């Protein structure tokens, strides 16, 4: 994502109605991704946790929007302070910005850039929520979001995209959020679950998705919204880079979905709808940082590699004993790391910048820069997120009571249930048959198959 750049007076851009309209549409598409994520996660949990899962995403739209206006935009994209934070009084409350004032070096108003970036800030903490399904107090979650975006997301966004941010100045490539969004969220998820512990019945009770159609709907809407997320991150359409990113987004997502399904068939014997949806998301995650640096053939490679790596990674929680409920670590952290590092191999030097990867004669220089960005964000987010969760757990408690978790968090936290069957029925209940599944299938095919 291009931060503000300095231009000569003669080259000062003027407001482009076309680019402004395009970016407003992209902002709306990215906003749609948060409800889409809610559906995606909501279908993956058990029925007793559906509403809570939806609300954990939706509440981010409220909290982060207000914080972004009050001080978040200033911290992330204000005048650089020591390469780690920004601050501009005119951005506080968005009160000192002229309605036609342009974002530096671009043809869109500052307001448009601010609202586009707001939608990134909204979805990033929502991504974390999938790792915490079934067991977190809603009040504690809301407080965690407030603290986390303030001390983790806003600074990291400045590191990666802000003019003067230390990772930007180093030359780390992150077109639309591999480090700032996906690694950031995935590492945070790991930090929090290491503090709050496992769900009751983890590795013992079946915890199958209650609505795979809902999962597929969410995945499809995420795929749709991701074109705004990725193609919009060039902030305009004047040089064709956004178009390349659009194509690469589609290509990598398709490759990752096929790769995940191929791995799943070879390893477990089935092509599952959950695998298709998860593979698509893995591809979207991996191409997010890299799509502006690679060719369409490179995008196929990025997607295929990420699809296989993420499919393998989702089973690590059983091997190492951390309860990542909906595989945020396996998909977003691993996919973000893969996509960010693969830039060091597949960058062509002919799209967003002249930086070349190892396979295009660039040596190991860009790979080294990518590694610094990856592990700096990963370490910072992991440690600070774990610390925030620990402090909240000690002060007000992060988890609901065990009995409430078993009975269902929806009733406890929201006094509602996702589905009301009280008016359904009539007539005798159908007689149970000897077998409820087709020959050769088991109930295990209804959930993600993993290496235990």
């Amino acid at each position: 994502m291009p931060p503000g750049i300095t231009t000569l007076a003669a080259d000062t851009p003027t407001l482009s109605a076309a680019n402004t309209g395009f970016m407003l549409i992209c902002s709306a598409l990215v906003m749609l991704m948060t409800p889409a994520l809610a559906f995606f996660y909501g279908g993956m949990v058990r029925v007793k946790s559906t509403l809570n899962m939806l609300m954990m995403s939706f509440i981010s739209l409220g909290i982060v929007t207000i914080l972004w206006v009050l001080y978040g935009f200033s911290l992330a994209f204000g005048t650089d302070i020591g390469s780690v934070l920004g601050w501009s009084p005119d951005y506080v409350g968005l009160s000192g910005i002229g309605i036609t004032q342009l974002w530096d070096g671009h043809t869109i108003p500052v307001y448009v850039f601010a609202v586009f970036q707001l939608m990134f800030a909204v979805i990033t903490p929502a991504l974390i929520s999938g790792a915490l399904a079934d067991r977190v107090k809603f009040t504690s979650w809301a407080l965690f979001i407030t603290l986390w975006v303030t001390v983790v997301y806003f600074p990291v966004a400045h590191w990666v995209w802000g003019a003067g941010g230390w990772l930007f100045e180093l030359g780390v490539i992150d077109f639309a959020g591999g480090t700032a969004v996906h690694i950031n969220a995935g590492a945070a998820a790991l930090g929090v679950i290491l503090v709050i512990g496992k769900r009751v019945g983890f590795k013992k009770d079946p915890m199958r998705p209650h609505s795979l159609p809902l999962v597929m709907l969410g995945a499809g809407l995420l795929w749709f919204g991701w074109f705004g997320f990725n193609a919009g991150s060039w902030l305009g359409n004047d040089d064709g880079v956004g178009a390349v990113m659009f194509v690469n987004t589609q290509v990598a997502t398709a490759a990752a979905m096929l790769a995940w399904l191929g791995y799943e068939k070879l390893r477990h014997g089935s092509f599952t709808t959950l695998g298709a949806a998860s593979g698509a998301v893995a591809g979207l995650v991996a191409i997010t940082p890299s799509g502006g640096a690679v060719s369409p053939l490179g995008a196929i490679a990025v997607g295929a590699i990420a699809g296989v790596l993420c499919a393998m990674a989702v089973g690590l929680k059983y091997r190492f004993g951390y309860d990542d409920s909906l595989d945020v670590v396996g998909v977003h952290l691993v996919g973000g790391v893969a996509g960010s590092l693969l830039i060091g191999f597949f960058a062509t030097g002919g799209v967003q910048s002249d930086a070349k990867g190892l396979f295009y004669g660039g040596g190991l220089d860009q790979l080294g820069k990518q590694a610094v960005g990856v592990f700096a964000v990963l370490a910072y987010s992991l440690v600070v997120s774990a610390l925030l969760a620990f402090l909240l757990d000690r002060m007000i408690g992060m988890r609901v009571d065990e009995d409430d978790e078993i009975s269902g968090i929806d009733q406890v936290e929201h006094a509602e249930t996702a589905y009301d069957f009280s008016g359904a029925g009539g007539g005798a209940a159908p007689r149970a048959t000897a077998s409820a599944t087709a020959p050769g299938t088991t109930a295990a095919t209804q959930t993600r198959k993993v290496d235990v």
Side-chain angles (χ1 to χ4, degrees):
M1 177 173 299
I5 58 176
T6 302
T7 59
L8 299 176
D11 299 325
T12 301
T14 59
L15 191 149
S16 166
N19 285 340
T20 298
F22 170 73
M23 289 306 301
L24 289 172
I25 292 170
C26 287
S27 300
L29 287 172
V30 182
M31 180 271 165
L32 178 66
M33 291 174 64
T34 298
L37 181 73
F39 289 134
F40 180 68
Y41 282 166
M44 290 174 67
V45 297
R46 291 170 289 179
V47 68
K48 64 183 180 179
S49 303
T50 306
L51 293 180
N52 181 254
M53 199 72 261
L54 295 174
M55 282 292 289
M56 288 179 81
S57 288
F58 265 79
I59 194 62
S60 187
L61 281 163
I63 293 172
V64 179
T65 297
I66 301 304
L67 297 181
W68 187 254
V69 171
L70 293 178
Y71 58 82
F73 183 56
S74 184
L75 287 175
F77 292 101
T79 302
D80 179 68
I81 301 174
S83 297
V84 294
L85 276 179
W87 189 256
S88 293
D90 287 347
Y91 293 168
V92 176
L94 303 184
S95 58
I97 302 170
I99 61 172
T100 59
Q101 179 181 338
L102 299 183
W103 184 243
D104 287 348
H106 297 278
T107 59
I108 62 173
V110 174
Y111 273 118
V112 174
F113 178 77
V115 77
F116 181 68
Q117 280 295 325
L118 163 62
M119 302 311 173
F120 281 64
V122 165
I123 197 171
T124 305
L127 292 172
I128 301 169
S129 67
L132 316 179
D134 299 329
R135 60 200 189 275
V136 174
K137 294 178 181 177
F138 190 69
T139 301
S140 299
W141 170 244
L143 289 173
F144 178 82
I145 289 178
T146 302
L147 296 171
W148 188 84
V149 294
T150 301
V151 300
V152 179
Y153 182 80
F154 298 156
V156 169
H158 184 77
W159 298 358
V160 175
W161 294 321
W166 73 277
L167 291 179
F168 174 78
E169 295 298 327
L170 180 65
V172 174
I173 294 174
D174 186 353
F175 195 96
T179 53
V181 176
H182 298 291
I183 293 173
N184 204 2
L190 181 59
V192 175
I193 58 182
L194 291 176
V195 171
I196 67 171
K198 308 174 184 65
R199 288 168 290 177
V200 176
F202 176 65
K203 294 203 294 186
K204 297 177 182 178
D205 299 337
M207 297 180 179
R208 292 187 289 270
H210 90 279
S211 176
L212 289 171
L214 200 61
V215 173
M216 296 295 280
L217 172 64
L221 289 172
L222 281 170
W223 195 332
F224 175 68
W226 224 290
F227 290 115
F229 194 85
N230 281 359
S233 289
W234 199 242
L235 307 185
N237 286 312
D238 298 325
D239 56 8
V241 175
V244 173
M245 185 58 166
F246 193 107
V247 171
N248 284 344
T249 298
Q250 177 68 16
V251 170
T253 307
M257 180 179 67
L258 296 176
W260 186 303
L261 288 172
Y263 173 84
E264 193 173 52
K265 178 65 174 178
L266 290 173
R267 182 67 181 85
H268 304 296
S270 301
F271 300 115
T272 69
T273 53
L274 185 58
S278 300
V281 173
L284 291 164
V285 169
I287 203 62
T288 292
S290 59
V294 304
S295 69
L297 288 177
I300 293 176
V302 169
I305 292 169
V308 172
L309 289 178
C310 292
M312 297 171 64
V314 297
L316 296 178
K317 63 183 180 182
Y318 296 103
R319 187 168 300 167
F320 295 109
Y322 60 89
D323 185 7
D324 175 15
S325 305
L326 307 182
D327 301 314
V328 178
V329 176
V331 174
H332 292 277
L333 178 57
V334 173
V337 169
S340 298
L341 293 180
L342 288 172
I343 294 170
F345 295 95
F346 293 105
T348 66
V351 189
Q352 73 176 93
S353 73
D354 58 3
K356 294 183 178 180
L358 179 64
F359 297 158
Y360 288 83
L364 296 174
D365 182 60
Q366 191 61 43
L367 179 61
K369 294 176 181 178
Q370 296 303 121
V372 171
V374 163
F375 293 108
V377 173
L378 194 161
Y380 180 74
S381 184
L382 176 69
V383 172
V384 177
S385 302
L387 179 60
L388 290 176
F390 176 79
L391 292 175
L392 285 172
D393 193 46
R394 289 290 179 150
M395 290 188 293
I396 61 174
M398 283 286 285
R399 295 189 61 148
V400 297
D401 294 338
E402 183 173 325
D403 289 343
D404 292 335
E405 182 181 334
I406 293 170
S407 64
I409 196 169
D410 283 358
Q411 279 284 5
V412 173
E413 292 293 306
H414 308 290
E416 298 171 306
T417 57
Y419 306 101
D420 182 4
F421 299 109
S422 62
R431 180 179 297 177
T433 59
S435 175
T437 58
T441 65
T442 68
T445 62
Q446 301 304 309
T447 188
R448 191 193 307 284
K449 294 180 179 179
V450 295
D451 300 322
V452 180

